[in-house]
Each structure stands twice: as structure tokens, then as C-alpha cells.
Amino acid sequence: MTEAQRANTTAFSHVSVLSRELVEGLNIRPGGHYLDATVGGGGHSQLILEAAPEVQLTAIDRDAVALAAAQVKLAAYGNRIHFWQGNFAEYEPYSRQFDGIIADLGVSSAQFDTPERGFSFRHTADLDMRMDQRQSLTAADVINQWDAPQLADAFYKYGEERLSRQIARRIVEKRPFQTTTELADAIAYSVPPKYRHGRIHPATRVFQALRIVVNQELASLETFLSRAPHWLKPEGRIGIISFHSLEDRIVKHTLRDSPLLRILTKKPITAQEKELADNPRSRSAKLRLAERLSQ
């Protein structure tokens, strides 16, 4: 971990969403072993560890800063918790079966709010967007090296950006870009004024697409969801929280199509009024739950 990462560890905070609904949905068993595939700051993990006696938990995350923050937050649980850094699609449970599995997808509040990570254009920062700082590909590499058709396809597929070709052409004309705000400004001036001053900033969807590309988020999610049901004990449960339609669509169909699972949520669970008031970022969160069949 770099010095900057160490400094950020103490400031890492993330408000876990749909916590009550997730913990209730898992039906946590005393002495059970649970997997938090995206531990973040450790909020969901702590609730799981406290929900029943002698619960054990394996916590994984791609982000070294998030993992370090979770280790501090959960230090009191000692050997009841084991940590692993990496992409959940690459995790190997070594034949261990879990009583429950959770994943809280997307970018945490702390990642968005740490300017140097480059996830947001609210602050000037390098175009980074890597969840795992050990990987080489950055958002700057994608923006400055991909051709216009590649960029347009990514913006349309992963950002659902209808002006993807127009934006991609402008980016290629004006590059190289080094910072988040340079890129956001170029995107804003590549679209009509009416679009520029709409409900959301015109760079929002492009930044989402870039983040997904850099971190291979959807491919990793598909791999993880295809493997995770095999890690559950009979009647063990899996709960996945997603934050945009691309993720939710994958979660919905993969859980539904698994021959090992029974769906517990025909419609996704969403935040209630109090949580929406306390944490506006919870408005887009959707929780889906399924249970491993007994045979």
C-alpha cells in the first residue's frame, strides 16, 4: 500500500445500504460461515458478525484501502474473520461452503469522495478509476488509446449513452486528456446546450462506462454469479445489491437461471423512506436474494 493509501485508510467511510433487509434476508445461523465478496468499509460484515453467536466471515475486496479500513473496523472479531484482497471473480474457496454470500456492487461513497482515485469529475484528478491499484490499465489509457468506434461502443454499452458516437469523436479530436475535469469539460462541449444543462451532467454516463471498462465490472460479476451458488450450503442464501440497470439485469437473470437456486425476491427490495432521507445514494440500490436448494 502507498503512503497516500495509508493516509486514506483512516478517512475511508462508506454508508452501507439496505443493511437491515440484507441481514434479515440472509437468515444468519449461529456458528455459520459467511462470505462478504465486497467488504468495502466493513459495515455489512459487522452486522453479519453481530447477528448470531460465533459467526465466522471471509471478507474480500479489490481495493487495498477499503480492505485496510475493514481490517481496522473489524479488528475486535479476531480470528472469526479472514481477509483476502482480489477480484471476487478470481476467488477460490478451496471446497469451503458458506451459509451465506453477499456482494454490494459498484463504487463506494469513499471511492467517489476521494479525488485522487479519479472516479468523479467533481474534483480535478488523474484519470485513474482503478479499484485495484495493482492493475496497469487506467481510464487515461482507455481514453487516450482507444479509437472512436471502440469508445463509442463502450459508452453506449456500459453507460447507455445515446450520444456516444458524437462524444467519442470529440474525445479523439481533443486528446490527450490527463485529468477528470478536462475530460468532463470536453464531453460537455461535445453535446447540444439543452443536453449539457440537463438533469445530470453529460459526462456522468461516460464516466460510468469508463469505470466499468477499466475494472471489467460486468464480466467479473457474471463470472462470480456463475460460481457463487456452488459455494453455498443447502439452504444457504445469497444477497446481491446492485446500483444500475446493467448490474441488476445480470443479477436478476443469473440468479433466476441457476438450477441450484430458488429466488426469494420476485421484485428487488429497495430503500425505505427513512434510509432515503438519511442516505440519498441509496435511492438506486436494489437487493435480490436467492436460496440454495436442499438437493
Side-chain angles (χ1 to χ4, degrees), residues 14 16 22-23 26 33-49 56-62 67 70 73-74 81-88 91 98-105 224 231 237 239-241:
H14 174 59
S16 301
L22 179 62
V23 172
L26 284 180
H33 193 156
Y34 293 82
L35 171 66
D36 186 343
T38 52
V39 68
H44 285 134
S45 285
Q46 184 173 36
L47 292 173
I48 291 170
L49 287 161
Q56 296 186 52
L57 187 133
T58 296
I60 65 180
D61 206 286
R62 302 171 74 171
L67 202 65
K73 184 181 183 70
L74 303 171
I81 184 165
H82 172 73
F83 295 94
W84 183 82
Q85 184 188 355
N87 186 333
F88 57 19
Y91 178 67
F98 297 101
D99 295 273
I101 297 171
I102 68 166
D104 182 353
L105 306 175
F224 169 71
W231 304 342
R237 294 185 174 184
I240 309 293
I241 298 173

Side-chain angles (χ1 to χ4, degrees), residues 208-223:
Q208 174 183 298
L210 275 176
R211 192 198 78 220
I212 290 172
V213 167
V214 168
N215 297 289
Q216 297 184 309
E217 290 179 34
L218 299 187
S220 295
L221 177 60
E222 289 173 344
T223 299

Side-chain angles (χ1 to χ4, degrees), residues 107-232:
V107 179
S108 72
S109 303
Q111 288 167 324
F112 268 127
D113 295 340
T114 304
E116 59 265 30
R117 301 300 296 272
F119 287 108
S120 171
F121 48 81
R122 289 184 290 117
H123 307 280
T124 299
D126 289 343
L127 281 165
D128 192 327
M129 299 194 190
R130 292 173 296 170
M131 291 183 180
D132 186 341
Q133 298 286 305
R134 298 173 301 182
Q135 77 173 48
S136 59
L137 183 70
T138 68
D141 296 328
V142 175
I143 284 296
N144 293 319
Q145 296 174 16
W146 287 21
D147 62 28
Q150 284 178 295
L151 290 173
D153 287 348
F155 300 160
Y156 184 79
K157 182 177 180 181
Y158 301 123
E160 299 178 297
E161 173 53 68
R162 62 185 180 87
L163 298 181
S164 59
R165 293 181 182 176
Q166 186 171 328
I167 292 170
R169 285 196 299 269
R170 174 75 173 190
I171 287 171
V172 171
E173 289 170 2
K174 296 295 182 179
R175 67 190 187 189
F177 295 97
Q178 299 301 325
T179 69
T180 53
T181 47
E182 286 175 350
L183 178 60
D185 288 345
I187 293 168
Y189 284 99
S190 71
V191 301
K194 182 178 180 180
Y195 194 76
R196 190 182 310 158
H197 302 294
R199 184 174 61 86
I200 65 170
H201 192 285
T204 301
R205 295 186 180 92
V206 169
F207 269 62
Q208 174 183 298
L210 275 176
R211 192 198 78 220
I212 290 172
V213 167
V214 168
N215 297 289
Q216 297 184 309
E217 290 179 34
L218 299 187
S220 295
L221 177 60
E222 289 173 344
T223 299
F224 169 71
L225 289 176
S226 70
R227 300 176 65 205
H230 297 274
W231 304 342
L232 283 170

